[in-house]
């Protein structure tokens, strides 16, 4: 089962701060967990080149991204794999 990181803002600083806060509270609990980035609800891209290493720095394994057509090309260019959530078994974590 993969966790789902639901992005609700395009403010990278706010997203990073929320992730850092949650990970500090969790300690190593999520280390080695698989995660899907859910960017479907945002209309502007985040700096994927910053978000990816941030998540990996906490030992998270990024399975891919669920996003809209507008953000898909940039996400793929950043090395993220497109994922359909219709068949994914996951739990949601919102920053």
């Amino acid at each position: 089962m993969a966790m789902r990181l639901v992005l609700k803002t395009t403010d990278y600083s706010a997203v990073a701060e929320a992730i850092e806060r949650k990970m500090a509270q969790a300690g190593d609990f999520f280390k080695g967990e698989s995660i899907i980035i859910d960017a479907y609800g945002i209309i502007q891209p985040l700096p994927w080149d910053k978000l990816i290493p941030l998540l990996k720095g906490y030992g998270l394994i990024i399975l891919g991204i669920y996003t809209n057509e507008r953000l898909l090309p940039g996400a793929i260019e950043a090395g993220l794999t497109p994922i359909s959530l219709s068949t994914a078994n996951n739990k949601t974590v919102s920053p």
Side-chain angles (χ1 to χ4, degrees):
M1 181 170 4
M3 292 189 304
R4 190 168 118 206
L5 172 65
V6 180
L7 300 174
K8 298 179 179 179
T9 180
T10 57
D11 179 353
Y12 175 75
S13 295
V15 170
E17 182 181 309
I19 291 169
E20 290 165 357
R21 185 175 51 251
K22 286 190 182 272
M23 295 307 284
Q25 293 170 350
D28 286 339
F29 184 77
F30 292 115
K31 190 171 185 175
E33 285 286 330
S34 298
I35 192 165
I36 296 169
I37 300 168
D38 182 343
Y40 195 85
I42 61 174
I43 57 172
Q44 296 294 323
L46 284 170
W48 307 123
D49 60 330
K50 291 182 180 179
L51 182 63
I52 293 168
L54 175 66
L55 295 172
K56 288 183 176 181
Y58 286 108
L60 297 171
I61 301 163
I62 303 169
L63 297 179
I65 188 165
Y66 171 65
T67 191
N68 55 58
E69 292 296 319
R70 182 177 185 166
L71 302 182
L72 190 58
I76 292 171
E77 185 177 313
L80 295 168
T81 302
I83 290 183
S84 169
L85 291 182
S86 61
T87 58
N89 184 11
N90 55 67
K91 53 189 171 188
T92 303
V93 178
S94 297

